[in-house]
């Protein structure tokens, strides 16, 4: 099974980015690390948006811009589309990806042999810890979305949450 | 270290156990499917296995009638270079071995009627170990691991081996 070198590189860079910012540069200030990583994603999103919309006309409204992000932009960057888009028609959109590429390899250590009753609780505790740790790896994609939307003229704030690995959702709140 | 759930693994599998060592001899992973008799403690068993691999590699390099290399102690070699044994067989089991250029040693102990396992070992390294352990954000290199995804994928893969 051959893989492109660039794919493996981007996976490794993302791992190392989070690891460096969270543990080496700002071990005591996780919010600062988060904002730095998100800022890097913002820049990348700005530039990628320029590149992927060279041929297209301007977007009519916010919904078209978000739909572009879900379909073409996500397909270019992560090789698949967003699986589910929900909105409350008041400026809040939820983009759900059921198999986010950078979370597919996330796995905790298997629990050591326990009896049947305790294993289900251990599983729940495990998945709670996994969701928490996975949140760090979603700062960069949040910045990506925010940068792309800002370049389309849609000021917004983006946050992410992980419910069950490897599914995650991004919440976009449009400002103004 | 994973305890084998004897009932979960089907009787069609002929795998017994698997070891993975890094360059320093630390056992990174020990996976067992079927091992009814175990004479030594876990640590002694792993130390014995690593010592055996080390000595066998050295022995095969020294006895090579065609190659000229002196077989540097402990240095990892590219695939195909140098001289390294890849399996030995007894009347009850077969042991297959592979060493990667990074010094990672993978040992697979199976039923003696198993076919050649070199391709399988390569697959296990590149598509299961690299994908699910090396690329796991929560794994620190050179430490023993027991990732869920690695275990699941390994179990699924060995069921397809004949």
């Amino acid at each position: 099974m051959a893989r492109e070198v660039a794919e493996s590189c981007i996976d490794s860079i993302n791992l190392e980015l989070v690891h460096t910012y969270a543990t080496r540069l700002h071990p005591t200030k996780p919010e600062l690390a988060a904002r730095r990583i998100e800022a890097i994603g913002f820049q990348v999103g700005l530039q990628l948006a320029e590149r992927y919309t060279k041929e297209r006309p301007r977007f009519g409204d916010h919904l078209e811009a978000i739909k572009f992000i879900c379909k073409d932009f996500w397909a270019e960057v992560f090789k698949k589309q967003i699986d589910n888009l929900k909105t409350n028609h008041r400026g809040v959109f939820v983009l759900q990806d059921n198999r986010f590429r950078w979370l597919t390899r996330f796995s905790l250590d298997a629990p050591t042999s326990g009896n049947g009753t305790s294993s289900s609780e251990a599983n729940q505790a495990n998945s709670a810890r996994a969701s928490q740790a996975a949140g760090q790896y979603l700062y960069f994609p949040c910045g990506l979305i925010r940068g792309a939307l800002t370049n389309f003229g849609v000021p917004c704030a983006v946050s992410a949450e992980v419910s069950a690995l490897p599914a995650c959702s991004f919440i976009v709140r449009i400002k103004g | 270290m994973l305890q084998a759930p004897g009932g979960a693994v089907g009787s069609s599998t002929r795998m017994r156990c698997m070891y993975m060592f890094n360059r320093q001899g630390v056992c990174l992973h020990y996976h067992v499917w079927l091992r009814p008799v175990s004479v030594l403690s876990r640590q002694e068993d792993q130390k014995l296995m690593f010592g055996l691999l080390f000595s066998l590699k050295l022995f095969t390099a020294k006895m090579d009638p065609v190659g000229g290399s002196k077989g540097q102690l402990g240095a990892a070699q590219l695939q195909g270079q140098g001289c390294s044994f890849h399996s030995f067989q007894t009347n009850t089991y077969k042991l297959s071995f592979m060493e990667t250029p990074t010094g990672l040693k993978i040992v697979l102990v199976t039923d003696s009627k198993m076919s050649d396992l070199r391709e399988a070992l390569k697959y296990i390294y590149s598509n299961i170990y690299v994908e699910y352990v090396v690329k796991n954000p929560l794994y620190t290199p050179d430490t023993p691991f027991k990732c869920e995804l690695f275990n699941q994928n390994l179990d699924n893969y060995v069921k397809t081996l004949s």
Side-chain angles (χ1 to χ4, degrees):
Chain A
M1 197 171 82
R3 290 194 84 205
E4 306 255 337
V5 173
E7 274 190 63
S8 299
C9 282
I10 194 70
D11 287 342
S12 309
I13 271 200
N14 191 40
L15 292 192
E16 197 50 38
L17 178 72
V18 176
H19 188 69
T20 304
Y21 271 97
T23 51
R24 276 208 308 127
L25 294 182
H26 307 288
T28 51
K29 291 180 265 191
E31 294 82 26
L32 185 57
R35 269 182 297 153
R36 288 265 168 101
I37 298 178
E38 211 250 356
I40 299 179
F42 182 77
Q43 292 280 8
V44 177
L46 279 181
Q47 287 153 9
L48 283 181
E50 288 279 358
R51 207 191 261 208
Y52 295 146
T53 56
K54 266 196 312 202
E55 320 290 324
R56 299 175 62 110
R58 291 184 68 89
F59 290 110
D61 65 355
H62 298 331
L63 185 59
E64 275 188 33
I66 298 262
K67 284 209 284 208
F68 173 81
I69 300 257
C70 292
K71 292 196 162 63
D72 302 308
F73 189 80
W74 217 251
E76 292 274 353
V77 181
F78 298 110
K79 296 206 178 146
K80 67 184 283 287
Q81 298 183 353
I82 290 268
D83 295 306
N84 211 344
L85 172 65
K86 294 189 269 239
T87 174
N88 71 352
H89 295 291
R90 276 184 193 71
V92 179
F93 297 86
V94 179
L95 284 68
Q96 193 175 340
D97 191 337
N98 289 336
R99 206 182 137 76
F100 188 52
R101 200 177 175 80
W102 290 345
L103 293 181
T104 49
R105 293 193 185 78
F106 221 83
S107 88
L108 292 178
D109 288 353
T112 51
S113 60
N115 47 17
T117 49
S118 66
S119 65
S120 57
E121 296 159 11
N123 277 342
Q124 277 174 2
N126 259 353
S127 44
R129 277 191 297 137
S131 312
Q132 248 184 345
Q136 287 180 320
Y137 295 88
L138 295 177
Y139 297 139
F140 189 87
C142 286
L144 211 60
I145 299 177
R146 190 165 72 91
L149 283 175
T150 306
N151 216 358
F152 297 147
V154 180
C156 60
V158 184
S159 63
E161 57 185 36
V162 181
S163 45
L165 288 169
C168 65
S169 44
F170 298 94
I171 302 159
V172 180
R173 288 187 181 80
I174 305 215
K175 295 188 207 165
Chain B
M1 319 250 220
L2 194 71
Q3 296 297 326
V9 176
S11 57
S12 58
T13 188
R14 293 209 279 227
M15 315 292 287
R16 301 284 177 262
C17 58
M18 182 185 92
Y19 301 76
M20 291 181 96
F21 296 96
N22 76 347
R23 201 183 285 221
Q24 277 77 30
V26 176
C27 182
L28 299 181
H29 190 76
Y30 169 67
H31 205 106
V32 63
W33 288 276
L34 184 67
R35 192 170 188 175
V37 176
S38 182
V39 188
L40 303 164
S41 80
R42 196 55 70 76
Q43 274 76 17
E44 286 176 9
D45 185 55
Q46 285 163 9
K47 274 199 268 189
L48 180 67
M49 178 63 76
F50 186 74
L52 168 78
L53 297 176
F54 194 79
S55 316
L56 269 179
K57 261 176 34 113
L58 203 55
F59 172 75
T60 50
K62 289 237 171 88
M63 295 290 292
D64 190 1
V66 279
S69 72
K70 289 185 281 249
Q72 299 125 320
L73 273 178
Q77 295 153 325
L78 291 176
Q79 306 269 7
Q81 259 186 11
C83 175
S84 163
F85 88 101
H86 51 79
S87 67
F88 72 72
Q89 197 163 345
T90 72
N91 53 343
T92 46
Y93 69 91
K94 174 175 184 163
L95 183 144
S96 311
F97 167 72
M98 179 180 94
E99 179 169 19
T100 70
T102 55
L104 182 80
K105 299 175 171 52
I106 309 183
V107 180
L108 211 46
V109 178
T110 64
D111 197 40
S112 49
K113 295 194 190 54
M114 209 72 148
S115 53
D116 186 33
L117 283 169
R118 272 179 283 180
E119 288 303 318
L121 282 168
K122 274 199 226 164
Y123 186 92
I124 289 179
Y125 173 69
S126 58
N127 295 351
I128 306 184
Y129 174 73
V130 167
E131 290 290 313
Y132 296 106
V133 178
V134 176
K135 293 188 179 171
N136 186 2
L138 298 177
Y139 173 65
T140 44
D142 269 352
T143 56
F145 63 87
K146 32 183 170 108
C147 300
E148 284 270 13
L149 283 180
F150 176 80
N151 292 340
Q152 279 169 14
N153 280 279
L154 188 61
D155 284 335
N156 289 341
Y157 177 65
V158 300
K159 288 192 185 115
T160 66
L161 294 176
S162 62

